Amino acid sequence: MTSRDGYQWTPAAGLCSGLPSTGVISPPTNLPPGSSHWDVVVVGAGYAGLTASRDACLAGLRVLLIEARDRIGGRSWSSNLDGYPFEMGGTWIHWGQPHVWREISRYQMRQEMSQSFDHSRGVNYFQLRTDHGSSTMTHADEDVLMATALEKVVNVDGALGRTIMPYPHDAFHDPEARQYDEISVQDRLDELSLSPEEGSAVEAFILLCSGGTLPTTSLFEFLHWWALCGYSYQGCMEYLASYKFRGGQSSFAIQFFREAQSTGRLSYVFQSPVQSIQDQGSQVTVTSRDGQTYSATRLVVTIPLNVLSSITFSPALDSQRITAMEIGHVNQTVKVHAEISNRDMRSWSGISYPFNKLLYAFGDGATPAGNTHIVCFGGAQNHIHPEANVEHTQQAVEAMSPGNMDITRLVFHNWSTDEFAQGAWFFPPPKLLSSSLDALRRRHGNVLFANSDWAVGWRSFIDGAIEEGTRAAKTVTDELRVLRDLPIPK
């Protein structure tokens, strides 16, 4: 089935909107006639919403899942084109991410993992193209360059971040660590003396992580990522970009949905954006844009920070949360997949910065046709909207490695213009976390908030979304067990 989301371009067909995905749900609703009240309503069918819905259903609660899109997965979904899965959003997973690994084991998908990198054949080199010139080096030399430069950035304590952030899950409560949320990555770089190659490499890598600009990227959050990855560049590559599902993220997300369905306690309605949420004390009422109303004893909202302001809450949300919503996160990452006919580029990686609209790319797989899959990233700095000018997008891909990018297909999802995301994965500007993380995690009467954007562990990752969905489901399950004998409002 085809989602309304995403774009594909080929020389023969040109630009086409909408991509096939196993995450599309059809029919879009299974609402039984006359149903109007549930134990729990979950707003949003990303990994947080899927986890909360599944766990609540398994605990015996009647759940209604409401989703604005025609598919599950939120900011993590895949499209299978000619037998190859292209990942539109969140992609990589690792056994060191505890919540992800628990679910991979639960659904017996350990054998479904595959490696992104393959340096066994082909060109097998790294290209660094900057305003200072162009150089080509081995991947071993690439690793030395990146590790050396990054270690200079994160070594704020003389111990590569280990002293100030020994427990990354609780770091935002530690004054020693929180002080680094007061400054940006640009502030930190201004303190250092880096070679031109080091500077270009480390800036491109950090912007790849944040999707913002250097002045709008919180140093604290980058240190948090670094700590979660074991305080090393090698760890960053292992955790952040090495392993993915052979069948794509949607093959994983659908397992959550099907298990919830199997209980017989899941109702759902897709293609139904929420307009307002009213907590009336004895129940919470949700109103969709098309005027439909649904009520429950508890409500779990799992939509991203940058979209929260699109919903009217009554009573109004607290001022701290509203301020955080007004600020929002900074990540405007552009992710463009290019299928190219040059098979030798499977072992290539490169940085093209700061002159190009795409800054970082690498060989990420081989399609059944024998072509190479290159995944490219850009960000808020020198931003591009791929569908607005495909010719410019092609030029940006080709500029990553001139003469080697013979494009046969482009595939992408523009998260910046997506009204239900308004940005890619969460990455905060300075001061947002230290002032607002606790507020974002706080409940609002009978309304709970669960999203990877305010997870304490792998924040902004699939693991963080599952962490948050688990937390919300446990809370509502414990509370409703106490209230179980009370009559359900009609």
Side-chain angles (χ1 to χ4, degrees):
M1 288 175 285
T2 300
S3 172
R4 294 173 298 186
D5 287 343
Y7 294 87
Q8 176 184 193
W9 175 89
T10 61
L15 183 67
C16 301
S17 62
L19 295 172
S21 176
T22 57
V24 176
I25 304 301
S26 181
T29 183
N30 71 341
L31 287 181
S35 295
S36 61
H37 188 91
W38 287 263
D39 295 319
V40 185
V41 168
V42 177
V43 178
Y47 275 106
L50 291 173
T51 303
S53 298
R54 181 203 62 190
D55 289 2
C57 285
L58 291 173
L61 302 180
R62 294 185 305 114
V63 177
L64 172 63
L65 176 62
I66 303 177
E67 169 57 49
R69 306 181 189 277
D70 53 17
R71 60 171 181 79
I72 60 173
R75 290 173 288 182
S76 294
W77 71 288
S78 56
S79 176
N80 192 298
L81 296 168
D82 295 331
Y84 185 84
F86 291 89
E87 298 284 6
M88 299 298 101
T91 302
W92 292 281
I93 37 88
H94 194 276
W95 47 88
Q97 296 166 337
H99 299 282
V100 160
W101 189 244
R102 179 192 66 199
E103 302 298 345
I104 290 174
S105 299
R106 179 195 191 103
Y107 294 123
Q108 302 180 48
M109 293 183 69
R110 292 188 296 273
Q111 303 306 312
E112 294 300 312
M113 295 173 66
S114 65
Q115 273 194 298
S116 284
F117 302 115
D118 181 2
H119 296 163
S120 62
R121 59 172 298 276
V123 298
N124 201 17
Y125 59 69
F126 167 72
Q127 279 181 289
L128 179 61
R129 303 183 66 240
T130 76
D131 287 342
H132 305 288
S134 178
S135 61
T136 299
M137 64 187 76
T138 67
H139 290 300
D141 288 339
E142 170 195 4
D143 291 345
V144 171
L145 171 65
M146 295 299 302
T148 300
L150 283 168
E151 287 174 5
K152 290 179 180 179
V153 175
V154 301
N155 196 27
V156 294
D157 55 0
L160 300 179
R162 289 180 174 86
T163 300
I164 59 99
M165 202 173 285
Y167 303 106
H169 292 70
D170 289 323
F172 66 96
H173 282 141
D174 184 343
E176 283 295 308
R178 279 168 64 117
Q179 65 177 309
Y180 296 102
D181 195 40
E182 295 293 315
I183 62 175
S184 70
V185 165
Q186 184 65 69
D187 295 328
R188 175 59 178 164
L189 292 174
D190 290 343
E191 300 172 350
L192 303 175
S193 177
L194 301 174
S195 72
E197 277 198 340
E198 287 177 333
S200 296
V202 79
E203 287 181 18
F205 183 85
I206 292 173
L207 291 174
L208 168 66
C209 295
S210 77
T213 64
L214 296 173
T216 61
T217 295
S218 165
L219 178 60
F220 172 94
E221 188 69 344
F222 186 75
L223 292 172
H224 181 244
W225 281 38
W226 177 262
L228 289 169
C229 292
Y231 310 93
S232 74
Y233 169 68
Q234 180 182 359
C236 287
M237 298 309 294
E238 283 281 322
Y239 280 91
L240 304 181
S242 289
Y243 301 96
K244 58 183 181 176
F245 290 113
R246 298 182 194 278
Q249 275 294 333
S250 292
S251 71
F252 185 43
I254 198 68
Q255 303 296 330
F256 294 69
F257 186 76
R258 288 172 178 165
E259 187 174 8
Q261 271 189 302
S262 71
T263 66
R265 289 184 283 272
L266 178 69
S267 301
Y268 60 82
V269 54
F270 283 73
Q271 303 179 43
S272 185
V274 168
Q275 179 173 293
S276 65
I277 293 171
Q278 183 177 19
D279 187 351
Q280 299 156 314
S282 61
Q283 66 177 25
V284 185
T285 299
V286 179
T287 303
S288 62
R289 287 184 190 173
D290 61 5
Q292 298 298 310
T293 60
Y294 313 96
S295 66
T297 308
R298 293 290 185 274
L299 180 78
V300 179
V301 176
T302 72
I303 62 176
L305 174 63
N306 284 4
V307 188
L308 270 179
S309 60
S310 67
I311 297 177
T312 301
F313 288 86
S314 178
L317 298 178
D318 61 276
S319 59
Q320 219 174 352
R321 197 190 313 256
I322 290 174
T323 298
M325 289 157 51
E326 291 172 345
I327 296 171
H329 74 77
V330 301
N331 191 340
Q332 299 299 318
T333 289
V334 176
K335 183 180 184 183
V336 177
H337 300 278
E339 184 177 352
I340 66 172
S341 59
N342 188 340
R343 299 185 179 193
D344 287 340
M345 291 293 281
R346 176 69 178 91
S347 56
W348 168 91
S349 63
I351 287 173
S352 180
Y353 169 83
F355 56 87
N356 195 11
K357 290 185 179 296
L358 296 171
L359 58 85
Y360 199 107
F362 57 88
D364 191 33
T367 69
N371 295 328
T372 297
H373 165 220
I374 301 289
V375 59
C376 311
F377 296 89
Q381 186 163 310
N382 208 8
H383 194 63
I384 183 175
H385 293 292
E387 75 281 10
N389 192 319
V390 175
E391 183 178 354
H392 286 176
T393 305
Q394 289 177 272
Q395 292 169 357
V397 172
E398 292 165 353
M400 294 300 306
S401 183
N404 293 317
M405 298 291 191
D406 41 349
I407 302 169
T408 63
R409 189 197 312 260
L410 296 175
V411 187
F412 51 87
H413 181 143
N414 190 340
W415 295 104
S416 295
T417 58
D418 183 326
E419 69 168 316
F420 305 121
Q422 296 183 29
W425 62 85
F426 174 90
F427 209 98
K431 303 181 181 181
L432 177 64
L433 288 176
S434 54
S435 65
S436 304
L437 185 57
D438 284 332
L440 291 171
R441 294 174 54 78
R442 192 178 303 134
R443 69 188 299 157
H444 184 66
N446 292 314
V447 179
L448 289 88
F449 294 84
N451 189 281
S452 181
D453 290 8
W454 46 85
V456 295
W458 286 89
R459 187 167 39 250
S460 82
F461 291 83
I462 295 163
D463 191 87
I466 298 172
E467 170 200 318
E468 279 290 287
T470 301
R471 176 175 74 103
K474 178 68 164 58
T475 300
V476 298
T477 298
D478 288 349
E479 293 178 355
L480 294 188
R481 279 179 180 152
V482 175
L483 299 174
R484 204 64 192 233
D485 295 330
L486 295 179
I488 297 175
K490 296 182 179 179

